[in-house]
């Protein structure tokens, strides 16, 4: 391994991986080394550019914590999240498409009953959401678990707001609920609005340098689980949003675009009386059965 140069370094690094006992890790690292070295050669990477890249990744690490995942944002805006999702979640025709997870999922959200208000004080116009979870053959999936989360009308998720006195964040516009015996779900929340991804950090600076905007079209996040079926991670997007064709994280699928319908004041879907106009969204989900060994 002595006297390596730009023509021999790549094979030397690959040869050093020969003792790796994990064949998949060896395959991934071999390809990574080859592509990284090819990138450096193709672009004639300078030392100053290499140092700037290291500084950028260091800044991404420094701003990342349990409330903000800048590495996921970086993966999202480079299209890597969508690519990995697409190649790992091919589904039969008729199944609901998956899309990116995003950086604002939180474990431990509260569980609600049908028609409960998961907004829990989040700012926004009232919205009633309902639909069914079914199998490909139309069979209703009872007791399926849905996790839902969204931003408020100001574009903020609950974890981005000022914490409570004890340092925790109240769960707002976020929660779990289960389908009934007919596979139906229904809850109250707030109207989905477009919002920018966090752009006050290194990823935002990169977008600005590239002449790109940080905006996402209005959407609701869903994660749906049912025994015997693949977990579905997806969004439902609001039709007519101006950012549908320029989503900063490339997550939009035409099949996931739906109508939020404005209703006049009066009786809401949960039977309550609304003295202001409100919105309704109806959207059904179709889950893909697990294959052998999954």
């Amino acid at each position: 391994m002595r006297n390596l140069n730009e023509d021999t370094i790549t094979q030397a690094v690959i040869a050093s991986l020969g003792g790796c006992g994990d064949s998949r890790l060896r395959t991934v690292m071999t390809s990574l080394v080859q592509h990284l070295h090819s990138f450096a050669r193709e672009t004639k990477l300078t030392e100053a550019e290499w140092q700037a890249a290291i500084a950028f990744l260091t800044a991404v690490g420094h701003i990342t914590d349990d409330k903000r995942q800048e590495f996921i944002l970086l993966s999202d805006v480079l299209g890597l999240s969508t690519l990995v999702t697409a190649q790992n979640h091919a589904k039969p025709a008729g199944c609901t498409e998956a899309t990116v997870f995003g950086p604002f999922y939180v474990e431990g959200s509260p569980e609600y009953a049908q028609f409960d208000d998961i907004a829990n004080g989040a700012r926004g116009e009232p919205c009633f959401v309902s639909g069914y979870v079914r199998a490909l053959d139309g069979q209703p999936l009872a007791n399926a678990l849905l996790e839902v989360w969204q931003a408020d009308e100001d574009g903020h998720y609950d974890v981005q707001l000022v914490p409570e006195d004890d340092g925790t964040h109240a769960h707002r516009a976020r929660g779990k609920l289960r389908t009934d015996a007919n596979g139906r779900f229904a809850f109250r929340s707030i109207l989905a609005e477009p919002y920018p991804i966090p752009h006050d950090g290194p990823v935002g600076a990169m977008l600005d340098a590239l002449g790109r905007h940080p905006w996402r079209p209005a959407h609701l996040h869903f994660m749906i689980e049912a025994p015997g079926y693949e977990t579905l991670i997806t969004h439902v997007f609001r039709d007519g949003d101006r950012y549908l064709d320029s989503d900063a994280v490339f997550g939009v699928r035409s099949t996931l675009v739906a109508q939020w319908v404005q209703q006049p004041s009066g009786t809401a879907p949960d039977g309550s009386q609304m003295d202001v106009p409100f919105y309704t969204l109806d959207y059904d989900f179709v889950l893909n059965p697990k294959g052998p060994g999954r």
Side-chain angles (χ1 to χ4, degrees):
M1 288 209 186
R2 297 186 184 186
N3 305 318
L4 296 173
N5 59 36
E6 62 181 289
D7 298 316
T8 59
I9 181 62
T10 303
Q11 286 308 312
V13 176
I14 291 172
S16 76
L17 305 176
C20 179
D22 184 327
S23 61
R24 176 60 179 168
L25 176 59
R26 187 170 62 251
T27 296
V28 170
M29 290 303 298
T30 296
S31 183
L32 177 63
V33 169
Q34 289 173 327
H35 284 283
L36 281 176
H37 287 211
S38 294
F39 165 76
R41 291 187 179 98
E42 178 185 339
T43 61
K44 300 189 186 305
L45 194 67
T46 68
E47 287 183 312
E49 291 164 342
W50 170 72
Q51 290 170 348
I54 290 175
F56 172 77
L57 292 175
T58 300
V60 170
H62 283 167
I63 203 171
T64 296
D65 58 23
D66 61 341
K67 302 296 188 298
R68 174 170 178 161
Q69 234 305 350
E70 195 82 355
F71 278 105
I72 291 180
L73 281 180
L74 178 58
S75 175
D76 287 349
V77 302
L78 293 178
L80 181 60
S81 300
T82 289
L83 172 59
V84 172
T85 296
Q87 67 185 13
N88 282 277
H89 293 279
K91 301 176 186 296
C95 286
T96 304
E97 291 188 87
T99 190
V100 295
F101 198 34
F104 293 114
Y105 171 75
V106 172
E107 294 184 353
S109 61
E111 187 157 346
Y112 291 92
Q114 295 276 345
F115 290 109
D116 277 354
D117 183 2
I118 73 167
N120 191 29
R123 291 165 50 85
E125 298 181 71
C127 179
F128 295 83
V129 182
S130 62
Y132 290 86
V133 178
R134 297 189 175 97
L136 260 175
D137 61 2
Q139 173 189 349
L141 298 181
N143 205 40
L145 177 65
L146 291 84
E147 291 200 52
V148 185
W149 63 103
Q150 69 172 103
D152 63 19
E153 69 178 8
D154 299 314
H156 297 131
Y157 288 84
D158 49 11
V159 294
Q160 296 176 285
L161 301 176
V162 176
E164 306 292 318
D165 291 340
D166 62 0
T168 63
H169 287 82
H171 293 290
R172 294 192 174 96
R174 181 189 303 275
K176 303 186 185 79
L177 68 154
R178 293 184 179 273
T179 56
D180 64 17
N182 297 313
R184 188 170 188 262
F185 65 89
F187 61 91
R188 176 175 171 173
S189 189
I190 53 176
L191 178 66
E193 299 280 10
Y195 65 87
I197 62 171
H199 56 101
D200 57 339
V203 170
M206 183 188 75
L207 289 177
D208 188 56
L210 295 173
R212 289 177 53 188
H213 70 70
W215 285 84
R216 298 217 63 204
H219 61 274
L220 281 176
H221 292 263
F222 286 86
M223 181 164 67
I224 306 175
E225 302 176 60
Y229 293 84
E230 295 178 2
T231 297
L232 173 66
I233 296 171
T234 195
H235 303 2
V236 178
F237 295 91
R238 186 175 163 194
D239 193 20
D241 192 285
R242 63 189 180 278
Y243 297 111
L244 285 172
D245 293 314
S246 62
D247 181 9
V249 308
F250 308 100
V252 178
R253 301 289 175 272
S254 295
T255 60
L256 302 177
V257 177
Q259 290 277 351
W260 269 249
V261 180
Q262 188 175 34
Q263 309 288 351
S265 59
T267 303
D270 64 355
S272 64
Q273 292 299 308
M274 302 292 294
D275 57 6
V276 295
F278 58 92
Y279 287 81
T280 56
L281 167 66
D282 292 294
Y283 192 87
D284 297 343
F285 298 92
V286 179
L287 303 191
N288 191 30
K290 289 183 178 178
R294 301 181 68 178

